[in-house]
Amino acid sequence: MTEFKKVFIDTAPIIYYLQNSELYYDNMKAFWKEYNECDYVTSGRVASIIE
């Protein structure tokens, strides 16, 4: 894979992870482990747990 320092990510996967979504939690956990050295950039909007 190409070396990179930033990962652009939508807020939805973050919310699914925080909510322990059955469909997405394990995938997101693996993602965080794989890309733990990167800076994350989102769309810039404020995300709430209610979403």
Side-chain angles (χ1 to χ4, degrees), residues 22-38:
E22 211 175 292
L23 294 174
Y24 300 100
Y25 183 82
D26 289 336
N27 289 333
M28 288 306 298
K29 188 172 182 178
F31 175 85
W32 299 130
K33 285 183 180 181
E34 179 73 25
Y35 301 105
N36 65 346
E37 298 293 323
C38 295

Side-chain angles (χ1 to χ4, degrees), residues 9-36 40 42 47-51:
I9 187 169
D10 186 64
T11 55
I14 298 167
I15 293 167
Y16 297 145
Y17 179 77
L18 293 174
Q19 292 177 336
N20 294 320
S21 170
E22 211 175 292
L23 294 174
Y24 300 100
Y25 183 82
D26 289 336
N27 289 333
M28 288 306 298
K29 188 172 182 178
F31 175 85
W32 299 130
K33 285 183 180 181
E34 179 73 25
Y35 301 105
N36 65 346
Y40 296 98
T42 66
S48 67
I49 292 295
I50 295 171
E51 286 185 24

